[in-house]
Amino acid sequence: MRTVAVVLAGGSGQRFGSGLPKQLLALTGRTLVEHSVSAFEDAPDVTAILVVMASGHARQVADLLAAGDYQKVMGVIEGGASRPESTRRAIAELSHRESGQDGCDVLFHDAARPLVDQRIIADCVRALRTHEAVGVAVPASDTIVIVDDEVMTSMPRRDRLRRCQTPQGFRLEVIRRAYELAQADPAFADLASTDDCGVVLRYLPDVTVAVVPGSERNIKITYPDDLRIAESLLRHSSSGAG
């Protein structure tokens, strides 16, 4: 079955404090979105890549990727005002492109995680051979507490807690059905922001979401200090240290 990677770069990056979407910021000579696209370009089990870019920047990124000669990029489309809306647009695009085919697996990845490695991608593709949904996660190293009105109300067992990363993978028909149910739910818009595995867990509870190990290196660029950490990690790996 074909595996398509969707690189989600539709966010505005307001928390980063830049006038430019953070996906277009440079990290050791390439933009964040290029780093993420490159990871899937190099993945032998990924057939094609669809990029979902922030509104007003799709043409710029299409030209950038064309100049970089990324052979697997099937297109760059504009994202929505929210993460779920960007995912829905990607699902609609893939449903149109894959119509008449036997379906595909899809990996959704945040462009703001430019250091995703080949082991994680390969593990996700492998997990989708036997599961309909898969998430990437790392153990929670800190004790987590639940707070209500600034008062601790409970403390979940840390050994059962994980921190989610991306990519997150699905059979296309599964994630499409989950979002169809979410869109039909008037309460969905009022829910706290959630990721794609969360949508499947809520609306398709009978679908098992497998977990594959992530990596502490697979960091998300949210604030300027994160970019400096990523630069240090890239220089460290390129120097052959460790």
Side-chain angles (χ1 to χ4, degrees):
M1 182 174 287
R2 283 165 47 88
T3 299
V4 178
V6 173
V7 176
L8 293 165
S12 63
Q14 290 181 347
R15 284 178 292 178
F16 196 90
S18 169
L20 195 69
K22 64 183 176 183
Q23 303 89 313
L24 294 177
L25 296 176
L27 171 63
T28 61
R30 288 194 295 179
T31 62
L32 297 187
V33 68
E34 286 179 280
H35 278 281
S36 291
V37 167
S38 180
F40 293 100
E41 180 81 16
D42 293 340
D45 294 323
V46 172
T47 308
I49 304 166
L50 177 67
V51 179
V52 183
M53 190 58 203
S55 179
H57 296 276
R59 173 47 56 190
Q60 176 185 358
V61 170
D63 292 343
L64 181 68
L65 297 177
D69 197 29
Y70 295 99
Q71 297 293 314
K72 294 181 182 178
V73 174
M74 62 162 61
V76 179
I77 64 173
E78 287 201 350
S82 65
R83 166 63 181 269
E85 178 58 28
S86 290
T87 299
R88 275 197 290 261
R89 292 188 182 192
I91 292 169
E93 182 73 12
L94 289 180
S95 297
H96 172 70
R97 288 176 178 263
E98 296 294 321
S99 62
Q101 305 296 323
D102 293 331
C104 69
D105 291 337
V106 56
L107 301 178
F108 291 97
H109 182 67
D110 293 329
R113 293 187 186 272
L115 304 187
V116 63
D117 61 47
Q118 294 300 310
R119 191 273 303 167
I120 292 175
I121 296 172
D123 283 354
C124 287
V125 173
R126 188 177 303 111
L128 284 173
R129 294 172 184 164
T130 52
H131 296 86
E132 295 181 314
V134 59
V136 173
V138 293
S141 57
D142 296 323
T143 297
I144 306 297
V145 297
I146 297 175
V147 175
D148 187 14
D149 290 332
E150 302 306 316
V151 175
M152 290 187 190
T153 58
S154 63
M155 188 177 293
R157 285 179 48 179
R158 188 172 66 186
D159 62 333
R160 298 184 63 186
L161 298 176
R162 300 290 186 273
R163 292 182 286 117
C164 289
Q165 299 181 340
T166 63
Q168 296 184 347
F170 311 90
R171 298 276 191 274
L172 177 58
E173 63 269 22
V174 167
I175 193 65
R176 180 171 55 219
R177 180 58 179 157
Y179 269 94
E180 286 172 350
L181 293 171
Q183 195 166 12
D185 179 9
F188 179 71
D190 297 327
L191 296 176
S193 178
T194 186
D195 62 12
D196 303 314
C197 282
V199 175
V200 171
L201 287 170
R202 181 177 179 87
Y203 293 102
L204 296 176
D206 292 336
V207 173
T208 299
V209 181
V211 177
V212 302
S215 167
E216 294 295 345
R217 190 174 182 272
N218 186 23
I219 65 172
K220 186 175 183 180
I221 309 299
T222 304
Y223 302 104
D225 281 346
D226 299 327
L227 194 60
R228 289 188 279 272
I229 292 169
E231 289 172 347
S232 177
L233 289 169
L234 278 175
R235 290 195 180 100
H236 185 77
S237 61
S238 64
S239 70

